[in-house]
C-alpha cells in the first residue's frame, strides 16, 4: 500500500471503532484503537521469524537458562532482510490464534502481550491496555475487536513505515477532534514537516550524501514521531549508507507509545524515545549535542505549574536572561533545543561529527514580537540574534494545521551559518502559496504541494532578494527603548476650597496660611517656582514653621497638592539647580557615533539638563517629571538616539528630553534605554492597498439598497 492510499486503511480501522459504541464514548475510542493498531503492527513485523523465536525459547526453557532471555531472543527475531529487530514475542499466540478461541480471548490476549520483550511491555504500560482488556471483555466486545483486527494486514511488505505513520496520525486527529482536544499537540502535517526537513538539510547535501556519515536528529516534542521519520527518510533517500540515530520525547503517554513502537519496528537500536515533559525533565542529558533538531511545540502552552522547577533549571547552555511569560512557553522549547547544540569546528574532513547544529521549529506569531525590551521573549530573541544564530523565518499560510487556523512560522536557527549568511537574516513570505484541500481535516483547509515546497526550499537556498524573500542585517530587528520625559507644569492658586482642604489636616498652620493669603492674594500664579519662593518667604517671616524631618516633607507635599493643579500653560517645575554640563558621554551611547556636531548645551538639553530660565550664565536646571506625560520610543539600533529624538520627538514636543537614568539603562551594555528585538513580519511585507473611491462605494451602497427594496416589495405584494 502506498502512502497515497493510507486513507482507505485508516477508514477501515476507524470503522472497527464503531464496535466500541456503548461501553465507550467516542472520545475514548483511542484507548483501544491505538494499542490494538500497534499490537497488530508488531504481530505482522514478527511473523517472519516467529517460528525460530519459539524454537529458541523452548530450548532455553528446557536448559533452564532463563536469564537474559530478552537479549537472546531479540537477536533471533529478524526481518526478511536478516536484520535483527531488537524485540520479540515468545508467546505461541498470534492474532490468528486469538481469533480461533472466542471463549478465552481476554486471557490469551493478555498472555500474548506478556510474551513480548521488556521494551515492548514498557510501551504497553503507557497504553494501560490491561484495563481496557477487562472492560472490553465485560462488555462482550473484545472478541469482535480482536477478530476485526485479525483481518487487517499490517505487515511492512504490505504497509510501509511512511504509510503506517500517516494512518496513526489520521486516527489520532479523529480521536482528538471527538474529544475537542488539540490534535496538533501530537503531530504536524506531513508537508510542513517535509518543508522543515528541506530547510534543515538541503544546505548540508554535500556532507549528507557522501561517504557513511553518522547523523543524529532530535525532536523534544515528538508526538507520534512524524518529524523524526521524515528526517530519516530524507537522509536515507539521499544516502542509503548514512547511519541515522533519532531521539525524541513526548509527555502524552499514547503518543509516546506510538512513537516508541514505531522506532522499534524500524530497527533503530541506537535511537531513543523518552516519556516525559521536556520543560521539567530535559531528556538526553548524557548526549552533548545533536546535528539536527526540529519540533512543533504546543502553541501558547502555559507553564505556570512548572515555573518553580523550570526557573531552577540550568540547562540553557549559555542563556542566563529572563524566561518568557508563564502563559506562553513556546520559546522554552527553543532554549532547550539550543542547549543541545554542538560546537562548530571547521575541518578539512567533511565527515567530522562536530559540524555544528541546525534547528527548525514551528511557532505561531507570538514569539516574533511579543514582549517589549527587557522582557523574557525579547531577551531570548536578542540572545539568538546577537549570537548570529537566526538564519531564516518562513511564513506559512493560515489554515495549515489540524487544530488551529492561525498563521504559523518556521524558524531556522543554526550556529554554523555559511559565510554569505553571517550577520544576515532571511525572511520568506509563503502565506499566499497554498492549495485548497478537497475536504477539510479539522481546521486544516489548505496544504503545500510538492511544487510549493520545492519553490520555498529553492528560495531559501538562493538567499536572494525578491518580492517574497528579503534579506536583513541582524541589527535591523533591534531597537533601543528610550523613555521620553516632559516637565511637570503647575498653576498655584489660593481658594477657599484649597485652603479648607489643607487646614482640615493641618489646622495648626492656619495663621501662616492667612498671612500667605494676604501676601499672595487670590490671583493664579503660572510659575510654581516663584510662587513657592514667596510661600517660603511668608513662612520665614512668620512665627509658624514647617514640621521637622519626614513630617515636614509630608506637609509640604500636601500643601502643593492642595494649592496647585496641572496647567499646560504654566512654567515647568524646577527640581534641581546646578551647573552640570556634559551629562552624556560617548560611553552612554554604545555602538553609535557620538554627535559632535551639536553644541554641548544643546546635547545636554536632549538629556534633560536645561539652561537656567533666569538667564544666569553657566547655570542649569533639571525639571520635575510629569509621570502622566511620560512616553517611550523604540529607536532602531542602527540610528543615533540623538538624531532620532531631534527628528521624531523635538519638533512635536519642544520641552521633552530623553531620561538618562541608570535604572532605565540596558543591563548588558549600560547604554541609555533598554535594547530589544522583534520581528514584525507583516510590516516588512506590507503592500499598500489604496482605498476605493467614494464614487465606487456609493454605487455599491445604492445597489445594495436597491436589492433590499426589491426584496421588501416582493414580500409586501
Amino acid at each position: 500500500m502506498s502512502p497515497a492510499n493510507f486513507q482507505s486503511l485508516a477508514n477501515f480501522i476507524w470503522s472497527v471503532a464503531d464496535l466500541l459504541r456503548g461501553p465507550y464514548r467516542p472520545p475514548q475510542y483511542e484507548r483501544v484503537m491505538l494499542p490494538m493498531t500497534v499490537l497488530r503492527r508488531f504481530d505482522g513485523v514478527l511473523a517472519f521469524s516467529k517460528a525460530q523465536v519459539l524454537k529458541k525459547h523452548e530450548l532455553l526453557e528446557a536448559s533452564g537458562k532463563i536469564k537474559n532471555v530478552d537479549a537472546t531472543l531479540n537477536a533471533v527475531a529478524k526481518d526478511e532482510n536478516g536484520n535483527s529487530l531488537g524485540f520479540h514475542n515468545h508467546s505461541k499466540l498470534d492474532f490468528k490464534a486469538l481469533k480461533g478461541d472466542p471463549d478465552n480471548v481476554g486471557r490469551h490476549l493478555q498472555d500474548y502481550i506478556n510474551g513480548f520483550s521488556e521494551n515492548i511491555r514498557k510501551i504497553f504500560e503507557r497504553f494501560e491496555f490491561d484495563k481496557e482488556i477487562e472492560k472490553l471483555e465485560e462488555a462482550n466486545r473484545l472478541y469482535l475487536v480482536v477478530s476485526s483486527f485479525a483481518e487487517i494486514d499490517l505487515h511492512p511488505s504490505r504497509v510501509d513505515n511512511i504509510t503506517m505513520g500517516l494512518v496513526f496520525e489520521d486516527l489520532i486527529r479523529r480521536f482528538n477532534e471527538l474529544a475537542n482536544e488539540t490534535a496538533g499537540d501530537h503531530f504536524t502535517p506531513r508537508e510542513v514537516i517535509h518543508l522543515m526537513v528541506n530547510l534543515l538539510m538541503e544546505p548540508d547535501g554535500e556532507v549528507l550524501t557522501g561517504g557513511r556519515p553518522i547523523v543524529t536528529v532530535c525532536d523534544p516534542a515528538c508526538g507520534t514521531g512524524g518529524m523524526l521519520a521524515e528526517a530519516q527518510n530524507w537522509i536515507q533517500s539521499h544516502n542509503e549508507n548514512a547511519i541515522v540515530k533519532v531521539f525524541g520525547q513526548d509527555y502524552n503517554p499514547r503518543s509516546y507509545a506510538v512513537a516508541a513502537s514505531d522506532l522499534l519496528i524500524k530497527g533503530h537500536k541506537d535511537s531513543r524515545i523518552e516519556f516525559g515533559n521536556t520543560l521539567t525533565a530535559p531528556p538526553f542529558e548524557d548526549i552533548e549535542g545533536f546535528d539536527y533538531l526540529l519540533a512543533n511545540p504546543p502553541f501558547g502552552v502555559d507553564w505556570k505549574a512548572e515555573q518553580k522547577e523550570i526557573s531552577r533549571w540550568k540547562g540553557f547552555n549559555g542563556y542566563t536572561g529572563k524566561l518568557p511569560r508563564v502563559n506562553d512557553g513556546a520559546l522554552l522549547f527553543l532554549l532547550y533545543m539550543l542547549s543541545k547544540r554542538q560546537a562548530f569546528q571547521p575541518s578539512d574532513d567533511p565527515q567530522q561529527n562536530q559540524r555544528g547544529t541546525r534547528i527548525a521549529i514551528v511557532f505561531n506569531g507570538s514569539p516574533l514580537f511579543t514582549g517589549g525590551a527587557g522582557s523574557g521573549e525579547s531577551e531570548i530573541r536578542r540572545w539568538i540574534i546577537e549570537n548570529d544564530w537566526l538564519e531564516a523565518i518562513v511564513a506559512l499560510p493560515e489554515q495549515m494545521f489540524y487544530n488551529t487556523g492561525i498563521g504559523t512560522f518556521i524558524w531556522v536557527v543554526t550556529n554554523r551559518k555559511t559565510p554569505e549568511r553571517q550577520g544576515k537574516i532571511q525572511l520568506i513570505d509563503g502565506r499566499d502559496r497554498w492549495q485548497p484541500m478537497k475536504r477539510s481535516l479539522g481546521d486544516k483547509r489548505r496544504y503545500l504541494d510538492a511544487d510549493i515546497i520545492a519553490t520555498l526550499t529553492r528560495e531559501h537556498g538562493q538567499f536572494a532578494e525578491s518580492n517574497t524573500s528579503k534579506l536583513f542585517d541582524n541589527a535591523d530587528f533591534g531597537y533601543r527603548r528610550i523613555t521620553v520625559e516632559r516637565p511637570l507644569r503647575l498653576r498655584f492658586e489660593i481658594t477657599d476650597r484649597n485652603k479648607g482642604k489643607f487646614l482640615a489636616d493641618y489646622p495648626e498652620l492656619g495663621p501662616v496660611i492667612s498671612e500667605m493669603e494676604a501676601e499672595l492674594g487670590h490671583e493664579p500664579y503660572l510659575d510654581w517656582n516663584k510662587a513657592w519662593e514667596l510661600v517660603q518667604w511668608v513662612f520665614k517671616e512668620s512665627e509658624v514653621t514647617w514640621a521637622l524631618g519626614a513630617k515636614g516633607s509630608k506637609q509640604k507635599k500636601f500643601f502643593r497638592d492642595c494649592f496647585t493643579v496641572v496647567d499646560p500653560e504654566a512654567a515647568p517645575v524646577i527640581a534641581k539647580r546646578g551647573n552640570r554640563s556634559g551629562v552624556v558621554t560617548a560611553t552612554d551611547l554604545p555602538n553609535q557615533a557620538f554627535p559632535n556636531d551639536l553644541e554641548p548645551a544643546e546635547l545636554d538639553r536632549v538629556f534633560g539638563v536645561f539652561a537656567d530660565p533666569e538667564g544666569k550664565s553657566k547655570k542649569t536646571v533639571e525639571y520635575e517629571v510629569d509621570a502622566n506625560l511620560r512616553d517611550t520610543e523604540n529607536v532602531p539600533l542602527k540610528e543615533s538616539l540623538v538624531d532620532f529624538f531631534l527628528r521624531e520627538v523635538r519638533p512635536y514636543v519642544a520641552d521633552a528630553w530623553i531620561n538618562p537614568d541608570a535604572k532605565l539603562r540596558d543591563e548588558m551594555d549600560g547604554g541609555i534605554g533598554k535594547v530589544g528585538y522583534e520581528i514584525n513580519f507583516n510590516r516588512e511585507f506590507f503592500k499598500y492597498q489604496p482605498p476605493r473611491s467614494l464614487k465606487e462605494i456609493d454605487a455599491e451602497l445604492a445597489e445594495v439598497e436597491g436589492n433590499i427594496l426589491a426584496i421588501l416589495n416582493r414580500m409586501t405584494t
Side-chain angles (χ1 to χ4, degrees), residues 129-144:
F129 194 49
D130 53 339
K131 298 178 182 178
E132 310 309 326
I133 292 175
E134 294 179 8
K135 185 173 181 179
L136 286 167
E137 195 164 32
E138 289 176 2
N140 294 319
R141 297 290 202 284
L142 183 59
Y143 178 74
L144 294 174

Side-chain angles (χ1 to χ4, degrees), residues 24 41 84 104 106 154 157 179 216 228 250 268 306 311 314 330 348 358 390 450 533 584 640 651 667 685 696:
Y24 289 87
R41 178 69 167 178
S84 177
N104 298 295
L154 298 183
S157 63
T216 56
L228 297 175
D250 203 81
H268 289 292
E306 299 89 4
S311 298
K314 304 300 182 184
D348 294 333
R358 290 181 63 80
L390 183 57
E533 289 179 3
V584 170
S640 162
E667 296 178 2
F685 287 93
E696 183 181 351

Side-chain angles (χ1 to χ4, degrees), residues 10 73 109 142 146 186 189 192 212 245-246 267 300 307 334 338 366 432 482 514 530 536 565-566 654 710:
L73 296 182
L109 182 57
L142 183 59
V146 171
H186 310 300
V192 175
R212 190 177 174 84
K245 301 179 181 181
V246 297
Q307 183 176 9
L334 181 54
L338 281 166
S366 179
D432 294 329
I482 60 171
S514 297
K530 294 190 178 299
Q536 293 285 68
V565 294
V566 174

Side-chain angles (χ1 to χ4, degrees), residues 188-202 226-227 230-231 234 238 294 410 448-450 453-454 457:
T188 307
R190 282 287 167 146
E191 75 271 19
V192 175
I193 300 175
H194 190 180
L195 176 59
M196 293 174 69
V197 172
N198 279 6
L199 296 173
L200 271 188
M201 298 184 177
E202 288 287 354
M227 286 191 177
E230 192 68 35
W234 192 99
H238 288 74
L294 65 172
I410 298 174
L448 308 178
D449 62 19
I453 294 173
T457 304

